Amino acid sequence: MPRNRSTDDDELLVRLRSLTAQARERAEYQRSQVELAVALQRGMLPRELPDTPRVHVAVRYAPACYGLNVGGDWYDAFTLPDGRIALSIGDVQGHNIEAAAFMGQVRAALRALASVAGEPGELLARTNDLLVSLGSDLFATCIFMRLDPATGLLESARAGHIPFVWATADGKSGIGEDEGGPPLGIDPGVDYPVSRFRLTTGGLFVLLTDGVVEGPSMNIEEGLDQVVRLAGVAAVARLEAQSLAAAVIKGAEQVGHEDDAAVLVVGHDGLDYTP
């Protein structure tokens, strides 16, 4: 004979339906948060890059593939009033809508102050003080560079970010050894040392975020070494900046890629360039 369903069984079914509905709601909310964070992030990235003789700028960006690990990475490149080119890349602590919004504040502050600050170190110091005054719990790491296309002089300051990679056409390549300072938005009154380099004919600089070189399947030393090798080959072979940026972001797949990944490559044709 069929067993009569007990009151306990009915209560269990009601409970299960309720839990299922709650889980579905949480999943929908989480998905909407991810979609909004991605939309915010993409909307704040530059739509155009500088178009300057002798200088080649290429970028690649890959959003996080899993969960809520999205929202904080950015890159930027724009021409300053004096004709020099500003280049930046960075990463906000956190992976959510708040991180994406804070990233927009950092990028906007860097752009606004770039034309009035004396050099990259002063720019990062003023941006840092501004972010501290906002009282946010978030902070950002960043590299900011200023390139003079006429001379190839590159001035750089770093705020807690992973170092850049460089390569020259004569087969040399390596990791930047500039001193750097702490992340932006933590302590006021911080100084950021400025390092100076010169982009020679066929030279390349690669700026990246840690999602490119660090993850469950690869530590940061191995990841940076991989980018050094790619940059070295690209410089010797005189590959376009676009090709190197594509190769670097492709290599990011090997790290397990649970984070955003951004790459900015800048190259220089040298002072003997003739259009």
Side-chain angles (χ1 to χ4, degrees), residues 46 48-52 57 74-88 107-115 123 144-147 264:
E48 296 181 354
L49 299 174
D51 184 11
T52 305
V57 179
W74 86 86
Y75 60 82
D76 204 0
F78 54 96
T79 303
L80 294 165
D82 62 6
R84 285 182 289 187
I85 297 173
L87 307 157
S88 73
R107 179 174 169 265
L110 289 170
R111 278 215 172 206
L113 294 172
S115 59
L123 169 61
F144 189 92
M145 290 183 168
R146 189 170 63 180
L147 171 64
L264 188 156

Short mmCIF file of all heavy atoms in Angstrom, two decimals, residues 46 48-52 57 74-88 107-115 123 144-147 264:
data_model
loop_
_atom_site.label_atom_id
_atom_site.label_comp_id
_atom_site.label_asym_id
_atom_site.label_seq_id
_atom_site.Cartn_x
_atom_site.Cartn_y
_atom_site.Cartn_z
N PRO A 46 40.11 53.36 -22.10
CA PRO A 46 40.16 54.31 -23.23
C PRO A 46 39.70 53.67 -24.54
O PRO A 46 40.03 52.52 -24.82
CB PRO A 46 41.63 54.71 -23.28
CG PRO A 46 42.36 53.56 -22.67
CD PRO A 46 41.45 53.05 -21.58
N GLU A 48 40.43 55.13 -27.53
CA GLU A 48 41.46 55.41 -28.54
C GLU A 48 42.82 55.50 -27.86
O GLU A 48 42.93 55.90 -26.70
CB GLU A 48 41.15 56.72 -29.27
CG GLU A 48 39.85 56.67 -30.08
CD GLU A 48 39.60 57.99 -30.81
OE1 GLU A 48 40.39 58.94 -30.58
OE2 GLU A 48 38.65 58.05 -31.59
N LEU A 49 43.86 55.16 -28.61
CA LEU A 49 45.23 55.25 -28.14
C LEU A 49 45.96 56.33 -28.92
O LEU A 49 45.56 56.67 -30.04
CB LEU A 49 45.93 53.90 -28.30
CG LEU A 49 45.32 52.72 -27.53
CD1 LEU A 49 46.04 51.43 -27.90
CD2 LEU A 49 45.38 52.96 -26.03
N PRO A 50 47.03 56.89 -28.36
CA PRO A 50 47.77 57.93 -29.07
C PRO A 50 48.28 57.44 -30.43
O PRO A 50 48.72 56.30 -30.56
CB PRO A 50 48.94 58.23 -28.13
CG PRO A 50 48.45 57.83 -26.79
CD PRO A 50 47.58 56.64 -27.01
N ASP A 51 48.20 58.31 -31.42
CA ASP A 51 48.68 58.02 -32.77
C ASP A 51 49.81 59.00 -33.06
O ASP A 51 49.59 60.11 -33.52
CB ASP A 51 47.55 58.16 -33.78
CG ASP A 51 47.99 57.78 -35.19
OD1 ASP A 51 49.09 57.22 -35.34
OD2 ASP A 51 47.23 58.08 -36.14
N THR A 52 51.04 58.58 -32.75
CA THR A 52 52.20 59.46 -32.82
C THR A 52 53.30 58.81 -33.65
O THR A 52 53.61 57.64 -33.43
CB THR A 52 52.74 59.76 -31.40
OG1 THR A 52 51.68 60.29 -30.60
CG2 THR A 52 53.88 60.76 -31.45
N VAL A 57 51.83 52.01 -29.55
CA VAL A 57 51.20 51.59 -28.29
C VAL A 57 50.16 50.52 -28.62
O VAL A 57 49.33 50.70 -29.51
CB VAL A 57 50.52 52.77 -27.58
CG1 VAL A 57 49.84 52.29 -26.28
CG2 VAL A 57 51.54 53.87 -27.26
N TRP A 74 43.10 48.29 -14.94
CA TRP A 74 42.92 49.29 -16.00
C TRP A 74 44.24 49.54 -16.72
O TRP A 74 45.32 49.20 -16.24
CB TRP A 74 42.41 50.60 -15.41
CG TRP A 74 43.48 51.54 -14.91
CD1 TRP A 74 44.18 52.47 -15.63
CD2 TRP A 74 44.00 51.62 -13.58
NE1 TRP A 74 45.08 53.12 -14.83
CE2 TRP A 74 44.99 52.62 -13.56
CE3 TRP A 74 43.71 50.94 -12.39
CZ2 TRP A 74 45.71 52.96 -12.42
CZ3 TRP A 74 44.42 51.27 -11.25
CH2 TRP A 74 45.40 52.27 -11.27
N TYR A 75 44.12 50.12 -17.90
CA TYR A 75 45.27 50.66 -18.62
C TYR A 75 44.83 51.99 -19.20
O TYR A 75 43.64 52.26 -19.37
CB TYR A 75 45.74 49.71 -19.73
CG TYR A 75 44.69 49.44 -20.78
CD1 TYR A 75 44.45 50.33 -21.83
CD2 TYR A 75 43.91 48.28 -20.73
CE1 TYR A 75 43.47 50.09 -22.77
CE2 TYR A 75 42.93 48.03 -21.67
CZ TYR A 75 42.73 48.94 -22.70
OH TYR A 75 41.74 48.71 -23.64
N ASP A 76 45.78 52.84 -19.53
CA ASP A 76 45.45 54.13 -20.13
C ASP A 76 46.66 54.63 -20.91
O ASP A 76 47.81 54.35 -20.55
CB ASP A 76 45.05 55.14 -19.06
CG ASP A 76 44.17 56.27 -19.61
OD1 ASP A 76 43.87 56.24 -20.82
OD2 ASP A 76 43.78 57.15 -18.83
N ALA A 77 46.39 55.37 -21.95
CA ALA A 77 47.43 56.01 -22.75
C ALA A 77 46.82 57.22 -23.44
O ALA A 77 45.77 57.11 -24.07
CB ALA A 77 47.98 55.03 -23.79
N PHE A 78 47.44 58.37 -23.29
CA PHE A 78 46.90 59.59 -23.88
C PHE A 78 48.03 60.60 -24.09
O PHE A 78 49.11 60.49 -23.49
CB PHE A 78 45.80 60.19 -23.00
CG PHE A 78 46.21 60.45 -21.57
CD1 PHE A 78 46.66 61.70 -21.17
CD2 PHE A 78 46.14 59.43 -20.62
CE1 PHE A 78 47.03 61.93 -19.85
CE2 PHE A 78 46.51 59.66 -19.31
CZ PHE A 78 46.96 60.92 -18.92
N THR A 79 47.77 61.56 -24.96
CA THR A 79 48.76 62.58 -25.29
C THR A 79 48.59 63.78 -24.37
O THR A 79 47.49 64.31 -24.21
CB THR A 79 48.63 63.00 -26.75
OG1 THR A 79 48.76 61.85 -27.60
CG2 THR A 79 49.72 64.01 -27.12
N LEU A 80 49.69 64.23 -23.80
CA LEU A 80 49.69 65.39 -22.92
C LEU A 80 49.75 66.68 -23.75
O LEU A 80 50.12 66.64 -24.93
CB LEU A 80 50.89 65.32 -21.98
CG LEU A 80 50.86 64.16 -20.97
CD1 LEU A 80 52.22 63.95 -20.33
CD2 LEU A 80 49.79 64.40 -19.91
N PRO A 81 49.41 67.82 -23.16
CA PRO A 81 49.42 69.08 -23.91
C PRO A 81 50.77 69.43 -24.54
O PRO A 81 50.81 70.09 -25.60
CB PRO A 81 49.04 70.11 -22.84
CG PRO A 81 48.21 69.35 -21.86
CD PRO A 81 48.83 68.00 -21.81
N ASP A 82 51.87 68.97 -23.94
CA ASP A 82 53.19 69.29 -24.50
C ASP A 82 53.66 68.28 -25.54
O ASP A 82 54.79 68.35 -26.02
CB ASP A 82 54.23 69.41 -23.38
CG ASP A 82 54.42 68.11 -22.59
OD1 ASP A 82 53.82 67.08 -22.98
OD2 ASP A 82 55.15 68.11 -21.58
N GLY A 83 52.81 67.32 -25.91
CA GLY A 83 53.15 66.35 -26.94
C GLY A 83 53.71 65.05 -26.42
O GLY A 83 53.83 64.08 -27.18
N ARG A 84 54.06 65.01 -25.13
CA ARG A 84 54.53 63.74 -24.58
C ARG A 84 53.35 62.79 -24.37
O ARG A 84 52.20 63.21 -24.35
CB ARG A 84 55.27 63.99 -23.26
CG ARG A 84 56.66 64.56 -23.47
CD ARG A 84 57.41 64.77 -22.18
NE ARG A 84 56.87 65.87 -21.39
CZ ARG A 84 57.44 66.33 -20.28
NH1 ARG A 84 58.58 65.78 -19.85
NH2 ARG A 84 56.90 67.34 -19.62
N ILE A 85 53.66 61.53 -24.25
CA ILE A 85 52.62 60.50 -24.13
C ILE A 85 52.61 59.95 -22.70
O ILE A 85 53.65 59.57 -22.16
CB ILE A 85 52.86 59.35 -25.13
CG1 ILE A 85 52.78 59.88 -26.56
CG2 ILE A 85 51.85 58.24 -24.93
CD1 ILE A 85 53.15 58.86 -27.60
N ALA A 86 51.43 59.94 -22.11
CA ALA A 86 51.25 59.37 -20.78
C ALA A 86 50.77 57.93 -20.89
O ALA A 86 49.90 57.62 -21.71
CB ALA A 86 50.24 60.20 -19.98
N LEU A 87 51.35 57.06 -20.09
CA LEU A 87 51.04 55.64 -20.11
C LEU A 87 50.84 55.17 -18.67
O LEU A 87 51.66 55.48 -17.80
CB LEU A 87 52.18 54.83 -20.74
CG LEU A 87 52.65 55.27 -22.12
CD1 LEU A 87 54.08 54.80 -22.37
CD2 LEU A 87 51.72 54.73 -23.19
N SER A 88 49.77 54.45 -18.42
CA SER A 88 49.58 53.92 -17.07
C SER A 88 48.88 52.57 -17.11
O SER A 88 48.16 52.25 -18.06
CB SER A 88 48.77 54.90 -16.20
OG SER A 88 47.41 54.92 -16.58
N ARG A 107 41.84 56.33 -12.28
CA ARG A 107 42.18 56.67 -13.66
C ARG A 107 41.84 58.12 -13.97
O ARG A 107 42.61 58.83 -14.62
CB ARG A 107 41.45 55.73 -14.62
CG ARG A 107 41.72 56.02 -16.09
CD ARG A 107 41.10 54.97 -16.99
NE ARG A 107 41.15 55.40 -18.38
CZ ARG A 107 40.16 56.02 -19.01
NH1 ARG A 107 39.02 56.26 -18.36
NH2 ARG A 107 40.27 56.39 -20.26
N ALA A 108 40.67 58.58 -13.51
CA ALA A 108 40.27 59.97 -13.75
C ALA A 108 41.21 60.94 -13.05
O ALA A 108 41.58 61.99 -13.60
CB ALA A 108 38.84 60.19 -13.28
N ALA A 109 41.63 60.60 -11.82
CA ALA A 109 42.55 61.46 -11.09
C ALA A 109 43.90 61.55 -11.80
O ALA A 109 44.47 62.65 -11.93
CB ALA A 109 42.75 60.92 -9.67
N LEU A 110 44.41 60.43 -12.29
CA LEU A 110 45.67 60.44 -13.01
C LEU A 110 45.59 61.29 -14.27
O LEU A 110 46.50 62.08 -14.56
CB LEU A 110 46.08 59.01 -13.37
CG LEU A 110 46.53 58.10 -12.22
CD1 LEU A 110 46.66 56.67 -12.69
CD2 LEU A 110 47.84 58.60 -11.62
N ARG A 111 44.51 61.17 -14.99
CA ARG A 111 44.33 61.97 -16.21
C ARG A 111 44.24 63.46 -15.88
O ARG A 111 44.84 64.29 -16.56
CB ARG A 111 43.07 61.53 -16.95
CG ARG A 111 43.27 60.32 -17.82
CD ARG A 111 42.42 60.42 -19.07
NE ARG A 111 42.71 59.37 -20.03
CZ ARG A 111 42.51 59.49 -21.33
NH1 ARG A 111 42.03 60.63 -21.82
NH2 ARG A 111 42.78 58.51 -22.15
N ALA A 112 43.47 63.79 -14.86
CA ALA A 112 43.25 65.19 -14.52
C ALA A 112 44.52 65.86 -14.03
O ALA A 112 44.77 67.04 -14.34
CB ALA A 112 42.15 65.30 -13.47
N LEU A 113 45.32 65.13 -13.26
CA LEU A 113 46.51 65.72 -12.67
C LEU A 113 47.74 65.62 -13.58
O LEU A 113 48.75 66.31 -13.33
CB LEU A 113 46.82 65.03 -11.33
CG LEU A 113 45.78 65.25 -10.22
CD1 LEU A 113 46.11 64.36 -9.02
CD2 LEU A 113 45.73 66.71 -9.81
N ALA A 114 47.69 64.80 -14.61
CA ALA A 114 48.87 64.57 -15.46
C ALA A 114 49.35 65.83 -16.15
O ALA A 114 50.56 66.00 -16.36
CB ALA A 114 48.56 63.49 -16.50
N SER A 115 48.43 66.73 -16.51
CA SER A 115 48.82 67.93 -17.24
C SER A 115 49.32 69.04 -16.33
O SER A 115 49.84 70.05 -16.82
CB SER A 115 47.64 68.44 -18.08
OG SER A 115 46.53 68.75 -17.25
N LEU A 123 53.06 63.29 -9.74
CA LEU A 123 51.70 62.91 -10.11
C LEU A 123 51.16 61.81 -9.19
O LEU A 123 50.03 61.90 -8.70
CB LEU A 123 51.68 62.43 -11.56
CG LEU A 123 50.40 61.74 -12.04
CD1 LEU A 123 49.21 62.68 -11.96
CD2 LEU A 123 50.57 61.21 -13.45
N PHE A 144 53.05 54.65 -13.70
CA PHE A 144 52.77 55.77 -14.60
C PHE A 144 54.06 56.17 -15.30
O PHE A 144 55.09 56.37 -14.65
CB PHE A 144 52.21 56.98 -13.84
CG PHE A 144 51.71 58.06 -14.76
CD1 PHE A 144 50.38 58.10 -15.16
CD2 PHE A 144 52.57 59.03 -15.23
CE1 PHE A 144 49.92 59.08 -16.03
CE2 PHE A 144 52.12 60.03 -16.10
CZ PHE A 144 50.80 60.05 -16.49
N MET A 145 53.99 56.25 -16.63
CA MET A 145 55.15 56.62 -17.44
C MET A 145 54.82 57.83 -18.31
O MET A 145 53.68 58.02 -18.71
CB MET A 145 55.58 55.45 -18.34
CG MET A 145 56.19 54.28 -17.61
SD MET A 145 56.74 52.99 -18.77
CE MET A 145 57.70 51.95 -17.67
N ARG A 146 55.87 58.57 -18.63
CA ARG A 146 55.73 59.71 -19.53
C ARG A 146 56.83 59.62 -20.58
O ARG A 146 58.01 59.61 -20.25
CB ARG A 146 55.83 61.02 -18.73
CG ARG A 146 55.50 62.25 -19.51
CD ARG A 146 55.39 63.46 -18.59
NE ARG A 146 56.66 63.75 -17.91
CZ ARG A 146 56.83 64.74 -17.05
NH1 ARG A 146 55.80 65.52 -16.73
NH2 ARG A 146 58.00 64.97 -16.49
N LEU A 147 56.44 59.52 -21.84
CA LEU A 147 57.39 59.30 -22.93
C LEU A 147 57.46 60.51 -23.84
O LEU A 147 56.43 61.03 -24.28
CB LEU A 147 56.95 58.07 -23.75
CG LEU A 147 57.70 57.81 -25.05
CD1 LEU A 147 59.18 57.48 -24.77
CD2 LEU A 147 57.04 56.67 -25.83
N LEU A 264 49.99 46.44 -21.61
CA LEU A 264 50.23 47.64 -22.41
C LEU A 264 51.67 47.57 -22.91
O LEU A 264 52.60 47.45 -22.10
CB LEU A 264 50.00 48.91 -21.59
CG LEU A 264 50.03 50.25 -22.33
CD1 LEU A 264 49.24 51.30 -21.56
CD2 LEU A 264 51.45 50.77 -22.55
#
